[in-house]
Amino acid sequence: MLDNQRVKIRDNFKSRNVEVEFFKSLDEVKNRVLNLISRESTVGVANSQTLKNMMISQELTNRGNTVYDKTFAKNKEESILLKKKALLTDWYITGTNAISIEGHIVNIDHSGNRVAAMAYGPDKVVVVVSKNKIEETLEKAITRARNHAAPLNAIRAGYKPPCIEQKQCIDCKSKERVCYNLSIIEGQFDPERMRLFIVDEEAGF
Ligand code: SF4
């Protein structure tokens, strides 16, 4: 990532009350998260390939945090409960589908628990994003979320919407649809609430 690109991103998000920090690796991000969050805090963790690569839920759980991560659920009922509990935590950690250099955070969600927690509920939010998800503009970030992230997430979750074959979103009404919520975070009211951790690695999709 170029220095002038970093400055632009930091300044644009700062003007929207989102603090940006840059990291070389996911390991560095993990250490920062573990230092930032106290062991007494409750933590919601979104279902994210980037966070899975970091093993952050396991690390937090092992050192004593109460963690609500739906991927720990043994059945559907437990998954629903964990998603609800994650909405009222001290911290929420999530990946994202795309950010724009202009300062937007864009996500497409199935049931919407992740975008709900990012928008409101948890006291503090950490958004982890890898460099492959940075787009120049809001429009390009939305295109990335729809045409790239959504089909790959569908495959991961075992759904078969038409975008997998067609390699682009056709705004399907299929039962296999994976995206019912498009969220654009344009900033934060509370400047202490959200941190964006940008990692100079390719991770997630
Ligand atoms: S609306 Fe349908 S085609 Fe478009 S990204 Fe979502 S699942 Fe794929």
Side-chain angles (χ1 to χ4, degrees), residues 96-99 104-116 118-119 138-150 169 171 177-186:
T96 182
N97 297 133
I99 65 165
H104 308 94
I105 300 172
V106 176
N107 286 289
I108 281 191
D109 260 26
H110 190 205
S111 58
N113 59 294
R114 179 180 62 146
V115 295
M118 288 171 88
L138 170 60
E139 193 183 1
K140 286 183 178 169
I142 293 171
T143 299
R144 182 182 202 285
R146 275 199 193 287
N147 296 325
H148 181 77
C169 174
D171 189 21
R177 181 169 176 146
V178 290
C179 42
Y180 291 99
N181 302 276
L182 172 65
S183 149
I184 302 163
I185 293 178
E186 300 194 340

Side-chain angles (χ1 to χ4, degrees), residues 23 25-27 29-30 33 45-58 69 71 93-98 107 114 126-133 144 149 153 156 197-205:
F23 298 87
S25 66
L26 287 176
D27 266 352
V29 175
K30 182 163 71 180
V33 168
V45 180
N47 185 13
S48 144
Q49 195 55 49
T50 304
L51 299 183
K52 279 202 180 89
N53 294 351
M54 285 166 59
M55 305 274 290
I56 194 65
S57 291
Q58 287 82 355
D69 177 340
T71 67
I93 310 171
T94 179
T96 182
N97 297 133
N107 286 289
R114 179 180 62 146
V126 173
V127 181
V128 182
V129 64
S130 49
K131 66 178 180 183
N132 48 309
K133 297 181 179 180
R144 182 182 202 285
N153 275 319
R156 180 179 63 152
F197 289 178
I198 301 178
V199 59
D200 202 7
E201 277 183 8
E202 302 227 346
F205 34 76

